[in-house]
Each structure stands twice: as structure tokens, then as C-alpha cells.
Amino acid sequence: MDDPGTARIVQIALEIDILSDDATEAARQMLEEGRVAELLQWVDDAPGRTAAAALQELIVSPEAIRSVLLRDPLDQSVARALLSSLDQRASEVLLDILRDADGRTTRRLVYDRLREYGASLAPQLVRRLDGAPWYFVRNLLALLRDTASTDGETVESPVKTLFKFLNHQHEQVRVEALRLLVADNSARDAAIRHVLDD
């Protein structure tokens, strides 16, 4: 093992089912080194559940998620392993990363994971629209469309909220707003009339 000390502390903690302060610090160090896949595997294989649950909470904490996904350069295999372990409780921090990440690969991986959460994500997306940077608004609108179509449901976003984005200064935002509005039977005609003048 490259680092028998740090890794062994975590392994022993899982074996005796007690995650001490030393073991927590060792796990944090492993997270900073990008050793997420190892930790996730150890959680799955742990004989007890108390320490494993505590370690799982550490792995999916907002700080750990940011540390892994905003790292430059991004380790894609580590990022995928972490993202696959996250449920919808991580959606707020993932939305923050979608907004803040510089790398296109990071944004794509996070976007794809958020899309898998489905239409239940819509209220969070709508809340974040106002005052957001244009590129984030574009992604939020695209997510609203993709999550609705993933579940095979009709888009049920507030039409008034979306119509104002047909006048947005950035064309990509206007296009995404149109895609959403034409999927809504009550808004389709008005949206098409509006954009014909654009």
C-alpha cells in the first residue's frame, strides 16, 4: 500500500465499527487525495454499519463533493464513482458546482447526474433562475426540459417565469426557454408568436 498508515486507520475503524476523530481525519485526507472509490468500496464491504454510515456521510458531504468535483484536473473515474453514490439530497451542492465549475467535463458529468433525478428537481431549478448568470440559466432551463422528458411528463413550470426568458439578452437562453414553452400546450402558441418577431 502506498500509504499504509492513513488507509489502515480507516480500515480498522470500519472493522471495529467505530469512526474515531483520527479515522475521520484519515478519511478526509484520503478524500483530498481523490481516493473516493476505495472509500466507497470499504463502506460497502464493512462488517458493521455504524462506522460505515458515518464514513458514507463524510464522503457525500458538500465539502467532500466540492473537493472532488472542483479539482483541477478532474479525475473522471473518481468523479463518476462519487456522483453515482449521491442521491437527490446532494442536488443543491451539485447545482452550485454546475454553476461554478470551470471545466466543461465537470459540468457535463454533474448535469447528467442531476438529470437522472427527474421531474422532482423542477422546484429547485425554478427557484434558482432569477438573478443567475446567463450560462447557468441556460443549463437550468435545459435541465427543466430534460428532467420532464425523462419522466415522460408534461412540463409544469410556471409559464410566467419562463416567458420572460424569451426576452433574455443571450440567444441560447431564449432558445432553451422556447423549447420548454412549446412543450406546454397552454403556452405553445403564444411562445411561437413571440419568437417569430425575434
Side-chain angles (χ1 to χ4, degrees), residues 115-137:
R115 183 174 57 194
E116 292 170 0
Y117 295 146
S120 61
L121 197 62
Q124 287 174 270
L125 302 178
V126 171
R127 277 197 305 271
R128 285 179 170 250
L129 284 169
D130 286 332
W134 74 268
Y135 53 86
F136 188 44
V137 172

Side-chain angles (χ1 to χ4, degrees), residues 83-128:
L83 286 166
S84 67
S85 73
L86 301 177
D87 59 26
Q88 194 166 339
R89 290 174 295 176
S91 57
E92 286 295 339
V93 68
L94 291 180
L95 286 167
D96 288 343
I97 292 168
L98 182 65
R99 180 194 63 210
D100 299 337
D102 292 329
R104 173 177 275 181
T105 302
T106 301
R107 292 194 303 271
R108 183 77 250 176
L109 289 171
V110 170
Y111 183 97
D112 290 343
R113 184 62 180 129
L114 285 165
R115 183 174 57 194
E116 292 170 0
Y117 295 146
S120 61
L121 197 62
Q124 287 174 270
L125 302 178
V126 171
R127 277 197 305 271
R128 285 179 170 250

